Amino acid sequence: MTDFVALLGTKGGPAIRTGSPMPTSSLLSLGGQRIVVDAGLGVTRGLCDQGMALKDIATIFITHLHSDHYLELGPLLHTAWTAGLKTPVRIWGPSGLATYFKGFFLSMQEDIDTRIEDEGRPDLRDLISCHIIRAGQPITEGAITVTAQASIHPPLTESWSLSFKGAGRHVVFSGDTAHNPALVPFAKGADLLIHEVMLAEGLQALQARIGNGDDRLMTHWLRAHTLASDAARIAAEAGVAALALHHLIPSDDPAFGPDDWHRACAPHWQGPLHVGRDGLRIDLPPQG
C-alpha cells in the first residue's frame, strides 16, 4: 500500500481566475488512513479526483481561519452527507470553527431538515464534532499521531504547522507562516516537508492584478509568508528527505513557472523538489 500526499489545491490566496489553480487543500494517506488537511475552494472535487469516496471522510485538520483554507469545509461535509456519509467526522482546528459550523448549519437548516424527513438520512449536525488544536498536545487519530506548533502568520494567533507520524512515516505541513526557524527541529528528518512559498519578484504584479487592496496587502505577504529561498533553507537544515512547494504566491502569473521555483530553491536545496500543482500526488518512497 503506497503512502502519499496529494496536493489538491495549491494556490496561495482565495481568489480564482480563468486558468488559475484552486486554493489550498491536501490529502494525506498513511498506512491506508486518510486525513484531509485544509478545505479551500475546490477540495470536494479534488478529493473525488484522487479516487476518495466522500462518505469515507473521517478526519479533517484546518490549519487556520483564512478563507482559502476553510471556505469549502461545510459544503464538503454536506456533499459527503448527500453521498452517503453516516459515520462521525472529527475536525481539528482553531476555536472559531464552532462558530463557523453554527452559521453553516443555520444557513442550510431547511435543506438538512428536509432531507432528514423526506429521505431518511441521519442528522448531519450530529455527525460532526469540532476539536481545538493546542500547541504541544499530541492528537491521536487511528494509527497516526499529530503534533502542532504555532506558525508565524499575523494577525492570526491560532495558526498551525502540523506534524503527522504513522506507518513509519513523518510528514510535516508548514501551514501559512513567515520564515520560522522553529520548523527546523519540528520537521527534523521528515520524509516530506510541505512548505508554503512566495516568489519576491512576482509580488508587485500580483498586487496590481488583485486591484482592490492597498500597501497593507504587500505588508501582510512580507510579514506572514515565506520566500522560496527560506523554505529551501529550512528543508536543508531539517535534513528532510524531500521538499514540496505549496500555497504558491503567485500561482497564476504566466510570467513565472516551475523553473523559477527551482531556481529560487537551488542555492539552498539540492534534494528532491516537488513544485505544487493541483492534483499532484507525491508518493513516499518504499521503506527500507
Side-chain angles (χ1 to χ4, degrees):
M1 183 178 296
T2 303
D3 298 321
F4 68 89
V5 175
L7 306 183
L8 309 178
T10 54
K11 182 182 184 297
I16 61 171
R17 305 171 183 85
T18 301
S20 76
M22 298 301 285
T24 309
S25 60
S26 304
L27 174 64
L28 170 68
S29 180
L30 296 180
Q33 185 178 342
R34 295 188 174 189
I35 292 178
V36 178
V37 182
D38 284 327
L41 190 66
V43 62
T44 308
R45 170 53 61 190
L47 288 169
C48 290
D49 288 348
Q50 291 296 322
M52 183 172 182
L54 298 180
K55 67 182 180 63
D56 292 336
I57 293 172
T59 311
I60 300 173
F61 279 80
I62 301 297
T63 57
H64 65 289
L65 298 186
H66 270 152
S67 60
D68 51 326
H69 295 258
Y70 79 112
L71 185 65
E72 200 170 300
L73 177 58
L76 165 63
L77 291 168
H78 186 283
T79 305
W81 179 61
T82 64
L85 178 71
K86 58 182 179 181
T87 49
V89 179
R90 291 168 303 285
I91 303 169
W92 292 89
S95 55
L97 283 176
T99 301
Y100 168 82
F101 273 107
K102 182 178 180 181
F104 177 75
F105 287 144
L106 180 62
S107 73
M108 297 301 298
Q109 180 176 334
E110 184 166 346
D111 179 89
I112 293 171
D113 289 346
T114 297
R115 293 185 187 280
I116 292 170
E117 178 65 26
D118 191 48
E119 301 171 3
R121 299 178 187 269
D123 194 327
L124 175 61
R125 293 161 291 205
D126 294 337
L127 298 178
I128 295 170
S129 60
C130 294
H131 307 269
I132 299 173
I133 293 175
R134 302 186 191 281
Q137 293 187 5
I139 298 165
T140 300
E141 283 291 338
I144 296 176
T145 299
V146 188
T147 54
Q149 173 178 274
S151 67
I152 304 170
H153 196 52
L156 300 185
T157 57
E158 289 184 85
S159 184
W160 303 105
S161 301
L162 298 173
S163 166
F164 296 85
K165 293 182 178 180
R169 304 290 195 176
H170 184 198
V171 175
V172 174
F173 290 80
S174 74
D176 281 15
T177 187
H179 177 54
N180 184 7
L183 272 171
V184 171
F186 189 68
K188 200 71 175 178
D191 295 286
L192 179 64
L193 171 62
I194 301 152
H195 205 302
E196 70 123 83
V197 283
M198 293 190 303
L199 275 177
E201 56 268 39
L203 297 183
Q204 289 287 352
L206 177 59
Q207 182 178 11
R209 191 161 68 253
I210 291 172
N212 66 347
D214 57 23
D215 288 344
R216 286 171 291 185
L217 179 57
M218 181 66 72
T219 299
H220 167 74
W221 287 334
L222 295 177
R223 72 172 181 157
H225 294 283
T226 303
L227 294 173
S229 57
D230 286 329
R233 287 189 183 96
I234 293 290
E237 291 173 20
V240 302
L243 172 63
L245 308 184
H246 202 7
H247 193 275
L248 277 61
I249 303 174
S251 61
D252 56 358
D253 187 334
F256 302 100
D259 288 347
D260 297 285
W261 295 104
H262 279 275
R263 191 177 303 113
C265 293
H268 313 287
W269 174 254
Q270 288 80 48
L273 179 65
H274 306 276
V275 178
R277 54 177 171 78
D278 290 9
L280 175 64
R281 174 170 158 155
I282 304 167
D283 290 329
L284 300 178
Q287 299 184 71

